[in-house]
Amino acid sequence: MLQVISLLVENKPGALMRITGVLSARGYNIESLTVARTLDPTLSRMTIVVDVDARLRTAVIKQMNKLLNVLQVSDLTDSPAVSRELVLLRIRTSQEARTAILKEAEIFGARVVDSSLEGFAIEATGDTEKMDEFINVMRSYGDIDVTRSGLVAVSLDPKKLRLSGPVPAGMAAEKLQLTDGVLNG
Amino acid sequence: MATLMSGAKILLECLVREGVDCIFGYPGGVTLPLYDAMYENPIRHVLVRHEQNACFAAEGYARSTGRVGVCCATSGPGATNLVTGLVDALMDSIPVVAITGQVSTGLIGSDAFQEADTFGITRSCTKHNYLVKNIGDLPQVIHEAFHIASSGRPGPVLVDIPKDIFQGQAHYVPVSSIHLPGYKVFTEGHTGQIRRAAQMIWQAERPFVYAGGGIVASGASAELREFVELIDAPAVNTLMGLGALPADHPNFISMPGMHGSYAANMGMSGSDLLIALGVRFDDRVTGRLAAFAPHAKVIHVDIDPSEIGKNRAADLPIVGDCKRVIARLNKVLTETAPAEAGRNSEARRNWWRQIRQWKEEHPLTPAFSTTEIKPQHLMVEIDRISNGRAIVSADVGQHQMWAAQFIRFNEPRLWLNSGGLGSMGFGLPAAIGAAFANPDKIVFAVVGDGGFQMSIPELATMANYGLNVKVVVMNNGYLGMVRQWQSLFYNNRLCAVELEAFPDAAKLAGAYGFTGRTIESPADLVPALQEAIREPGPYLLNVRVSPNENVYPMVPAGAAINEMVLGPPKPVAVPK
């Protein structure tokens, strides 16, 4: 089944590779992945849609949580969240169909971002099913090229962000003996 | 006042601050500046003969002490040769820091000489890894690497350092603290869960303690012992946990699993409460998972949340460090004992009676012969001579299982073996690492004739440093474990398992300048082992054992652990 995972990650080289590695090592195919900086430029927010065996969903979350560059992971598959996709669609069409296309775009809440003699470029946002439908409808009016952003999601039930504090550097050997010296999350 | 130093010197300075006294490594082109700085540094560099063995030696150092083992290799082939050792350390949760050289930053990605994408290659082989692109980051990265390797669930961390970073100059400012906001380590365990665990333990009629490598990693042997005595339950140590509870302890049963004892496997299968401490329900322990401990509720204590419920659902999970959690659990048990301890005394007595009966019905019995040395006999004599106190570093295969069955370990960190990855060629270099860390202890490398031949180059290292490593080759002329499976499950169609042309041990060791000897008569076994111990420095003892012996008991692949094959079904006819 499709699992929607939202991650807050450190904006560091290799972080993306570590996260996708959890999935690729198990042979899972990523349906979509989006990533961009947050308000804090040292952090990124990532949304991954991936086809995972239902019984391994928790394991995948736990494995991602173990990665040092990952500050927080949430499984949004069944929890309250809003998710949207952006579609940029270019359509080549005949003069006769132009009005009908504009009508359809309006029904989907889509916006024309470029217009030429050949046709339009249209942007639309919505959940995945709605975007599938939009693309289907547009296809019936002419040749189309489509770029989809993949899903971006925001949880409506935000978890408290638990971060670890600083620890003294040096003499790891002694810290290992002294278990209490290990930082406590 | 910050001093201007080269990256190589800064690295060594950080290693000194981490208490590193020994690096196992092999130099190369891009690490030249590092080795130049080592020329005048107090840290001892041990030149091994292959980078894979540098990592295994670092593991041997770490496994035998609990301190971080450090290995070092050059870029390209040096780094790729480390990979098996890194995965080995990852699978067994061993704290190792690997330093690799990389081509200069300007050349990265240009297919330069001896360039490999070490950062990418080792991403899934390590707990964490770094590529240092800025000399200013170096101190921070090194201290982070040691912290990550040694805390939480330990593991290997690799730091890839380009040549120009070693050569560059920077003002060295000692790092006082490190901050890894995303590194979550939970040590204490949930108080409510610990109280509930105590209740479950008092309520159980057939409790059984299943303790593993996590006890060793967290140094929780004393706490485990107190716990087992408080609740007076039978206990097993997994392959990774041997020595966690002393082998001579009256509550200790043996190792469980594929080649575990009858009593250990029947005990797990019959128990109504499995107390799993620092274990991961490995397939070699559980057999067919669906049939594993079918009547048991499970209390699972582990520092790694991703282990909880991974293979077996836990009725009561406790995420925390074994040492802390068991200590806190012991406190609750002591407080509640006066009211609770006698609750199921009748059932508990019956449970012990049953366990003892299983032990008596099918004890682990070594085979003896007057005409040939049985492999089990060899292990029994090694056990006698080491008396639960010597370090034994095993390789992988039949000898490893016999050693685990018949050599007693009364302390943790004496038994070194590649448990999770099962890397042949581990035993000898790991013994070398252990010998450097424990100059006053006897170190046996108990290896098969297969794994030994993967490690032969390291005989030079042993000779070079005059190491007190006693190599005992259990030589049956076969890749014995593979032969065992071919003979039991592939109609005895033996393919690619005969090891012909084994070198003459006396000549081989003699070529390196130390004593080697081959024995095949049972009468020579004890005198030869005594000679090996007596003689200072390295020793190679090649023991010709009966070639067709199989390891029993055995749980066939796919069977439940109480469906054991206790001995050979019929005399196994193998042409030889």
Side-chain angles (χ1 to χ4, degrees):
Chain A
M1 69 173 292
L2 287 183
Q3 181 178 10
V4 182
I5 303 168
S6 173
L7 303 102
L8 187 63
V9 305
E10 289 179 311
N11 196 356
K12 286 192 175 164
L16 176 65
M17 179 177 77
R18 292 180 209 282
I19 292 159
T20 55
V22 169
L23 301 167
S24 64
R26 289 160 180 76
Y28 293 139
N29 193 36
I30 294 170
E31 298 288 324
S32 79
L33 187 154
T34 65
V35 53
R37 274 203 303 220
T38 62
L39 288 173
D40 177 345
T42 66
L43 303 180
S44 296
R45 172 69 67 181
M46 202 178 280
T47 308
I48 305 178
V49 180
V50 59
D51 194 357
V52 168
D53 288 348
R55 64 188 175 87
L56 288 174
R57 264 173 57 189
T58 327
V60 163
I61 298 288
K62 282 181 174 177
Q63 289 294 338
M64 288 183 174
N65 220 353
K66 254 170 87 167
L67 301 171
L68 265 95
N69 298 138
V70 173
L71 302 190
Q72 192 180 46
V73 195
S74 319
D75 188 347
L76 299 186
T77 316
D78 298 321
S79 67
V82 177
S83 56
R84 289 289 180 270
E85 228 187 316
L86 169 73
V87 168
L88 285 175
L89 177 146
R90 204 157 60 83
I91 181 160
R92 279 174 295 277
T93 183
S94 61
Q95 291 294 327
E96 298 78 55
R98 290 179 72 97
T99 321
I101 287 168
L102 291 174
K103 266 252 147 44
E104 293 285 5
E106 202 183 323
I107 291 167
F108 281 93
R111 218 154 59 86
V112 172
V113 288
D114 185 70
S115 174
S116 66
L117 287 176
E118 287 83 45
F120 302 108
I122 304 172
E123 79 168 60
T125 59
D127 60 32
T128 302
E129 292 78 41
K130 191 175 160 193
M131 289 304 97
D132 288 346
E133 213 177 307
F134 171 66
I135 291 164
N136 260 336
V137 167
M138 285 299 160
R139 187 149 47 190
S140 67
Y141 288 97
D143 285 343
I144 59 171
D145 290 318
V146 179
T147 303
R148 300 174 76 144
S149 65
L151 210 64
V152 290
V154 64
S155 172
L156 298 177
D157 183 17
K159 286 193 289 187
K160 197 171 153 239
L161 185 59
R162 291 168 58 121
L163 298 179
S164 298
V167 287
M171 289 309 283
E174 280 174 22
K175 267 187 281 178
L176 196 67
Q177 307 297 323
L178 231 179
T179 323
D180 273 337
V182 174
L183 78 152
N184 194 348
Chain B
M1 186 63 209
T3 37
L4 199 63
M5 282 163 73
S6 73
K9 280 196 174 161
I10 291 174
L11 165 63
L12 292 175
E13 187 58 36
C14 294
L15 296 184
V16 169
R17 282 196 67 205
E18 290 290 351
V20 174
D21 57 4
C22 184
I23 300 174
F24 302 93
Y26 208 101
V30 298
T31 53
L32 277 166
L34 174 61
Y35 278 77
D36 186 58
M38 267 189 221
Y39 188 77
E40 51 193 7
N41 190 277
I43 298 177
R44 180 174 203 182
H45 180 274
V46 177
L47 179 66
V48 292
R49 281 3 183 215
H50 189 287
E51 290 89 348
Q52 176 175 296
N53 298 326
C55 198
F56 285 154
E59 277 196 81
Y61 180 99
R63 287 172 192 254
S64 64
T65 60
R67 299 201 297 270
V68 178
V70 182
C71 58
C72 175
T74 191
S75 63
T80 55
N81 279 344
L82 287 181
V83 162
T84 303
L86 293 171
V87 183
D88 196 86
L90 184 67
M91 289 285 272
D92 286 347
S93 310
I94 306 302
V96 166
V97 168
I99 309 287
T100 50
Q102 181 56 274
V103 300
S104 289
T105 45
L107 291 172
I108 292 178
S110 73
D111 300 336
F113 176 64
Q114 290 195 327
E115 182 186 359
D117 173 16
T118 305
F119 183 62
I121 289 168
T122 60
R123 192 261 309 153
S124 61
C125 308
T126 51
K127 182 173 173 185
H128 197 66
N129 64 357
Y130 292 92
L131 168 61
V132 180
K133 296 283 288 286
N134 185 337
I135 190 169
D137 297 339
L138 193 54
Q140 193 76 31
V141 164
I142 297 301
H143 291 306
E144 284 181 14
F146 275 82
H147 176 65
I148 294 163
S150 60
S151 59
R153 178 178 182 171
V157 179
L158 180 137
V159 184
D160 198 28
I161 306 173
K163 188 176 188 180
D164 56 331
I165 302 291
F166 283 133
Q167 287 170 321
Q169 301 276 322
H171 288 287
Y172 172 60
V173 186
V175 172
S176 59
S177 80
I178 49 180
H179 189 198
L180 299 163
Y183 183 44
K184 310 150 200 93
V185 178
F186 308 95
T187 55
E188 295 301 300
H190 189 276
T191 308
Q193 294 288 81
I194 290 173
R195 296 212 145 265
R196 276 185 281 279
Q199 272 169 16
M200 283 171 78
I201 289 165
W202 292 132
Q203 280 160 9
E205 297 189 344
R206 301 184 305 281
F208 201 87
V209 177
Y210 161 33
I215 301 287
V216 180
S218 78
S221 284
E223 288 77 6
L224 173 67
R225 186 184 183 137
E226 188 192 349
F227 172 71
V228 167
E229 288 169 1
L230 269 171
I231 66 169
D232 192 25
V236 292
N237 287 338
T238 65
L239 184 67
M240 284 305 296
L242 290 176
L245 187 67
D248 291 341
H249 193 280
N251 291 49
F252 179 67
I253 307 299
S254 73
M255 175 179 80
M258 181 171 270
H259 294 294
S261 76
Y262 182 74
N265 286 354
M266 293 304 285
M268 287 202 155
S269 304
S271 132
D272 70 344
L273 179 68
L274 200 57
I275 306 151
L277 307 171
V279 293
R280 57 188 179 87
F281 293 84
D282 181 71
D283 56 82
R284 286 299 191 262
V285 168
T286 63
R288 190 168 76 250
L289 201 54
F292 175 70
H295 315 295
K297 286 189 170 157
V298 171
I299 297 172
H300 192 179
V301 181
D302 204 284
I303 199 161
D304 179 355
S306 75
E307 284 302 337
I308 308 271
K310 183 183 82 176
N311 292 338
R312 168 73 180 247
D315 299 278
L316 189 92
I318 302 176
V319 177
D321 182 89
C322 276
K323 191 179 178 74
R324 290 300 305 144
V325 172
I326 300 172
R328 296 182 65 202
L329 183 54
N330 287 346
K331 195 156 169 281
V332 177
L333 288 167
T334 310
E335 285 163 12
T336 49
E340 303 274 3
R343 185 196 271 256
N344 292 317
S345 51
E346 174 82 26
R348 296 280 183 107
R349 264 196 303 278
N350 288 338
W351 178 229
W352 265 117
R353 199 170 298 134
Q354 173 72 76
I355 297 275
R356 271 191 290 272
Q357 193 187 328
W358 282 325
K359 276 179 99 165
E360 283 157 20
E361 276 172 11
H362 300 288
L364 284 173
T365 321
F368 295 103
S369 151
T370 49
T371 52
E372 53 180 7
I373 300 173
K374 293 282 185 186
Q376 300 93 327
H377 182 194
L378 168 63
M379 300 310 163
V380 166
E381 293 305 342
I382 294 175
D383 171 60
R384 214 187 303 261
I385 209 161
S386 56
N387 195 27
R389 298 278 181 266
I391 292 177
V392 175
S393 176
D395 218 83
V396 171
Q398 285 186 317
H399 73 279
Q400 176 193 23
M401 292 297 108
W402 280 313
Q405 287 178 341
F406 295 112
I407 303 178
R408 292 163 302 141
F409 298 98
N410 284 328
E411 293 163 27
R413 304 201 176 282
L414 293 177
W415 167 244
L416 321 177
N417 88 130
S418 168
L421 192 64
S423 320
M424 280 177 69
F426 168 91
L428 203 160
I432 288 175
F436 274 103
N438 304 271
D440 51 340
K441 280 210 172 90
I442 297 170
V443 182
F444 282 110
V446 178
V447 299
D449 45 329
F452 172 71
Q453 290 182 81
M454 290 190 177
S455 333
I456 278 183
E458 298 308 324
L459 293 178
T461 312
M462 285 167 52
N464 193 163
Y465 295 91
L467 286 180
N468 202 24
V469 172
K470 314 300 177 185
V471 182
V472 180
V473 182
M474 190 208 80
N475 189 335
N476 57 6
Y478 281 113
L479 295 169
M481 190 58 96
V482 183
R483 194 223 60 220
Q484 174 165 348
W485 283 63
Q486 287 181 347
S487 95
L488 295 176
F489 309 115
Y490 291 86
N491 294 321
N492 205 26
R493 286 154 58 92
L494 303 190
C495 182
V497 290
E498 271 185 77
L499 289 167
E500 291 165 16
F502 191 83
D504 180 316
K507 284 185 186 162
L508 178 63
Y512 289 105
F514 60 91
T515 311
R517 181 177 170 188
T518 297
I519 58 166
E520 46 193 334
S521 160
D524 293 335
L525 184 52
V526 173
L529 283 170
Q530 282 167 345
E531 183 184 295
I533 299 289
R534 231 183 3 252
E535 195 147 313
Y539 194 97
L540 173 63
L541 180 61
N542 177 33
V543 185
R544 292 255 171 217
V545 298
S546 35
N548 297 319
E549 203 68 27
N550 284 342
V551 185
Y552 294 107
M554 178 178 193
V555 178
I561 55 164
N562 57 356
E563 298 164 359
M564 275 164 285
V565 180
L566 293 160
K570 54 182 184 306
V572 189
V574 180
K576 173 84 208 246

